[in-house]
Amino acid sequence: MHRFFIPSEWIRQSRVSLTDEPAHQIIHVLRLKPKDHIILLDNSGWEYEVEIDQMSPGLIQGRVIGQSLGTTEPRVKVTLYQALLKAEKFEFILQKGVELGVSTFVPFVSERCVVRKPGENKLARWRKIMQEAAEQSGRALLPALHPVATFREACDSAHGASILLWEEERSLSLSRILKGPPFQASPTFNVFIGPEGGFPPAEVAYAESCGIVPVSLGHRILRAETAGLAVVVALLYERRELG
Amino acid sequence: MHRFFIPSEWIRQSRVSLTDEPAHQIIHVLRLKPKDHIILLDNSGWEYEVEIDQMSPGLIQGRVIGQSLGTTEPRVKVTLYQALLKAEKFEFILQKGVELGVSTFVPFVSERCVVRKPGENKLARWRKIMQEAAEQSGRALLPALHPVATFREACDSAHGASILLWEEERSLSLSRILKGPPFQASPTFNVFIGPEGGFPPAEVAYAESCGIVPVSLGHRILRAETAGLAVVVALLYERRELG
């Protein structure tokens, strides 16, 4: 069944009114009809099954016929602190990260970033990519996208279990960190991934001073966008959140 | 140091002659000079450190100054049986799969594939993407790309530990399979990933009759290209091949 994140005020008791993009999608792209069912999500964690009863140009009305708590959210809340990357790579990270189960994205600018801060148009595009990925993959909550931070601001804001992927780290492997205390059972997890050129030692030192642990992903050199997803998969797999 | 896979006959004892694409890359793209060092790979598992001594248009000569066995290949050999996907998704799988450590790719056509068999131009493009990813990620062996098979041919050719990702599988999770016998210690691993529309039950039944085990990746619905990479990461992580 098709899923749509909507503003919570579109649902009033058991009546629903949809306008804007969801109405356009339902009428012109999916060509649904009265009596068809959809799932609405108001980002509270609840899922509302709705039967469409009236359709007019730009407005769809329906009624809630069932309500249940979503079961697809990982129990561990992963925040991906991702350095700005070239456009298609950053969008790739957002899309795949949402599918896999990331809860929050914090874009940041670090010394070796070669990409400028996104403007409002790009941010709107990013939010759209995230929402589509959340709807398509069956998420019950829409992951958050924070404003672009500096690297230091990002480090300062990371509390609890936090790692930074560093290609020059030789001793501490991801699995040793994920399987040992205190990370093993942490309900939240922060992952820092650098830009294409990686982190300079001074940034790694600053991160360490904030309690963020540099770890290695092994022998092969992964591109920035591959590394981020690999860590997210490994973490969710370790916590039995990926089958 | 820049790495290049080359035909083994380009190395004769300690002398090396490079032409074609590697020579072009070195001269015009990387703008290396005599006395610069490169790593050559002849797909034997050995890595040759070479000092460039002569450069002329289209021909580079140098001498081997060191030779060592590559250490970047995973000990578990993963074969990714991947249904044909739309162009950019299939290329994405090849690129990321090579970076992560896949040994062999077997493209196949199944019932719900909507993409036609690739022509020679596309196969050449795929091989180029794989080679670049292998060089960039530091692989010591160039992963193999098999000819496109039918789904049944692909199933018939899969020996040993084999799984198929199925979104309708409810009971058997990936981690249960990866952590239990006989898969736990298998030196080879075959992973079947369907096309955008997934596998119909009849195909899953055929795979099962060949000993291929359908497994689930959990609660969220992953796109075909995300699912393949998630399984590869989980498998390599489980075997301590990803840090």
Coordinates of all heavy atoms in Angstrom, one line a residue, chain A residues 106-136:
Chain A
V106 N 23.3 14.9 10.0 CA 23.9 16.2 10.3 C 25.0 16.5 9.3 O 26.1 15.9 9.3 CB 24.6 16.3 11.7 CG1 25.1 17.7 12.0 CG2 23.5 15.8 12.8
P107 N 24.7 17.3 8.3 CA 25.8 17.7 7.3 C 26.8 18.6 7.9 O 26.4 19.4 8.7 CB 25.0 18.4 6.2 CG 23.6 18.4 6.5 CD 23.5 18.0 8.0
F108 N 28.1 18.5 7.6 CA 29.0 19.4 8.2 C 30.1 19.7 7.1 O 30.3 19.0 6.1 CB 29.6 18.9 9.5 CG 30.5 17.7 9.3 CD1 31.9 17.8 9.0 CD2 30.0 16.4 9.5 CE1 32.7 16.6 8.8 CE2 30.8 15.3 9.4 CZ 32.1 15.4 9.0
V109 N 30.8 20.8 7.4 CA 31.9 21.3 6.5 C 33.2 21.1 7.3 O 33.3 21.5 8.4 CB 31.7 22.8 6.2 CG1 32.9 23.3 5.3 CG2 30.4 23.0 5.5
S110 N 34.1 20.4 6.7 CA 35.4 20.2 7.3 C 36.5 20.7 6.4 O 36.2 21.1 5.2 CB 35.6 18.7 7.7 OG 35.6 17.9 6.5
E111 N 37.7 20.6 6.8 CA 38.8 21.3 6.1 C 39.0 20.9 4.7 O 39.2 21.7 3.8 CB 40.1 21.0 6.9 CG 41.3 21.8 6.4 CD 42.6 21.4 7.1 OE1 42.6 21.2 8.4 OE2 43.6 21.2 6.5
R112 N 38.8 19.6 4.4 CA 39.0 19.2 3.0 C 37.8 19.1 2.2 O 37.8 18.5 1.1 CB 39.7 17.8 3.1 CG 41.1 17.8 3.6 CD 41.8 16.5 3.6 NE 43.1 16.5 4.2 CZ 43.7 15.4 4.7 NH1 43.1 14.2 4.6 NH2 44.9 15.5 5.3
C113 N 36.7 19.7 2.7 CA 35.4 19.7 1.8 C 35.7 20.6 0.6 O 36.3 21.7 0.8 CB 34.3 20.3 2.6 SG 33.4 19.1 3.7
V114 N 35.2 20.2 -0.5 CA 35.4 21.0 -1.7 C 34.0 21.5 -2.2 O 33.9 22.1 -3.3 CB 36.1 20.2 -2.9 CG1 37.5 19.9 -2.5 CG2 35.3 18.9 -3.2
V115 N 33.0 21.2 -1.5 CA 31.7 21.6 -1.9 C 31.1 22.7 -1.0 O 31.4 22.8 0.2 CB 30.7 20.4 -1.7 CG1 29.3 20.7 -2.1 CG2 31.3 19.2 -2.5
R116 N 30.4 23.7 -1.7 CA 29.9 24.8 -0.9 C 28.6 24.4 -0.2 O 28.0 23.5 -0.5 CB 29.6 26.0 -1.9 CG 30.9 26.8 -2.2 CD 30.5 28.0 -3.0 NE 29.8 27.6 -4.2 CZ 29.3 28.4 -5.1 NH1 29.5 29.7 -4.9 NH2 28.6 28.0 -6.1
K117 N 28.3 25.2 0.8 CA 27.1 25.0 1.6 C 25.9 25.0 0.7 O 25.8 25.9 -0.2 CB 26.9 26.2 2.6 CG 27.6 25.9 4.0 CD 27.0 26.9 5.0 CE 27.4 26.5 6.4 NZ 26.8 27.4 7.4
P118 N 24.9 24.1 0.9 CA 23.7 24.1 0.0 C 22.8 25.3 0.2 O 22.7 25.8 1.4 CB 23.0 22.8 0.5 CG 23.5 22.7 1.9 CD 24.9 23.2 2.0
G119 N 22.2 25.8 -0.8 CA 21.2 26.8 -0.7 C 19.9 26.2 -0.4 O 19.7 25.0 -0.2
E120 N 18.8 27.1 -0.3 CA 17.5 26.6 0.1 C 16.9 25.6 -0.9 O 16.3 24.6 -0.5 CB 16.6 27.8 0.4 CG 15.3 27.5 1.1 CD 15.4 26.4 2.2 OE1 16.3 26.6 3.2 OE2 14.7 25.4 2.2
N121 N 17.2 25.8 -2.2 CA 16.7 24.9 -3.2 C 17.2 23.5 -3.0 O 16.5 22.5 -3.1 CB 17.1 25.4 -4.6 CG 16.2 26.4 -5.1 OD1 15.2 26.7 -4.5 ND2 16.6 27.0 -6.2
K122 N 18.5 23.4 -2.7 CA 19.1 22.1 -2.6 C 18.6 21.4 -1.3 O 18.4 20.2 -1.3 CB 20.7 22.2 -2.5 CG 21.3 20.9 -2.5 CD 22.8 21.0 -2.8 CE 23.1 21.0 -4.3 NZ 24.5 21.0 -4.6
L123 N 18.5 22.2 -0.2 CA 18.0 21.7 1.0 C 16.5 21.1 0.8 O 16.2 20.0 1.3 CB 17.9 22.7 2.1 CG 19.3 23.1 2.7 CD1 19.2 24.3 3.6 CD2 20.0 21.9 3.4
A124 N 15.7 21.8 0.0 CA 14.4 21.3 -0.3 C 14.5 20.0 -1.1 O 13.7 19.1 -0.8 CB 13.6 22.4 -1.1
R125 N 15.4 20.0 -2.0 CA 15.6 18.7 -2.8 C 16.0 17.6 -1.9 O 15.5 16.5 -2.0 CB 16.6 19.0 -3.9 CG 16.8 17.8 -4.8 CD 17.9 18.2 -5.9 NE 18.6 17.0 -6.3 CZ 18.1 16.2 -7.3 NH1 17.0 16.6 -7.9 NH2 18.7 15.1 -7.6
W126 N 16.9 17.8 -0.9 CA 17.4 16.8 0.0 C 16.2 16.3 0.8 O 16.1 15.1 1.0 CB 18.5 17.4 0.9 CG 19.8 17.6 0.2 CD1 20.1 17.3 -1.1 CD2 21.0 18.1 0.8 NE1 21.4 17.6 -1.4 CE2 21.9 18.1 -0.2 CE3 21.3 18.6 2.0 CZ2 23.2 18.6 0.0 CZ3 22.6 19.1 2.2 CH2 23.5 19.0 1.2
R127 N 15.4 17.2 1.3 CA 14.3 16.8 2.1 C 13.3 15.9 1.3 O 12.7 15.0 1.8 CB 13.5 18.0 2.8 CG 14.3 18.6 4.0 CD 13.5 19.7 4.7 NE 13.4 20.9 3.9 CZ 14.1 22.0 4.1 NH1 15.1 22.0 5.0 NH2 14.0 23.0 3.3
K128 N 13.1 16.3 0.1 CA 12.2 15.5 -0.8 C 12.8 14.1 -1.0 O 12.0 13.1 -0.9 CB 12.0 16.2 -2.1 CG 11.0 15.6 -3.0 CD 10.5 16.6 -4.1 CE 9.4 15.9 -4.9 NZ 9.6 15.9 -6.3
I129 N 14.1 14.0 -1.3 CA 14.7 12.7 -1.4 C 14.5 11.8 -0.2 O 14.2 10.7 -0.2 CB 16.2 12.9 -1.8 CG1 16.4 13.4 -3.2 CG2 17.0 11.5 -1.6 CD1 17.8 13.8 -3.5
M130 N 14.7 12.5 1.0 CA 14.6 11.7 2.2 C 13.1 11.3 2.4 O 12.9 10.1 2.9 CB 15.0 12.6 3.4 CG 16.5 12.9 3.5 SD 17.0 14.1 4.7 CE 16.4 13.3 6.2
Q131 N 12.2 12.2 2.1 CA 10.8 11.8 2.4 C 10.4 10.6 1.4 O 9.7 9.7 1.9 CB 9.9 13.0 2.1 CG 8.4 12.6 2.4 CD 7.5 13.8 2.5 OE1 7.9 14.9 2.9 NE2 6.2 13.6 2.3
E132 N 10.8 10.7 0.2 CA 10.4 9.6 -0.8 C 11.0 8.3 -0.3 O 10.4 7.3 -0.4 CB 10.9 10.0 -2.2 CG 10.0 11.0 -2.8 CD 10.5 11.5 -4.2 OE1 11.6 11.0 -4.6 OE2 9.8 12.4 -4.8
A133 N 12.3 8.4 0.1 CA 13.0 7.1 0.6 C 12.3 6.6 1.8 O 12.1 5.4 2.0 CB 14.4 7.4 0.8
A134 N 11.8 7.5 2.7 CA 11.2 7.0 3.9 C 9.8 6.4 3.6 O 9.4 5.3 4.2 CB 11.0 8.2 4.9
E135 N 9.1 7.0 2.6 CA 7.8 6.4 2.2 C 8.0 5.1 1.5 O 7.3 4.1 1.8 CB 7.1 7.4 1.3 CG 6.6 8.6 2.1 CD 6.1 9.8 1.2 OE1 6.3 9.7 0.0 OE2 5.5 10.7 1.8
Q136 N 8.9 5.0 0.6 CA 9.1 3.8 -0.2 C 9.7 2.6 0.7 O 9.3 1.5 0.4 CB 10.1 4.2 -1.3 CG 10.6 3.0 -2.2 CD 11.9 2.5 -1.7 OE1 12.7 3.2 -1.2 NE2 12.0 1.2 -1.8

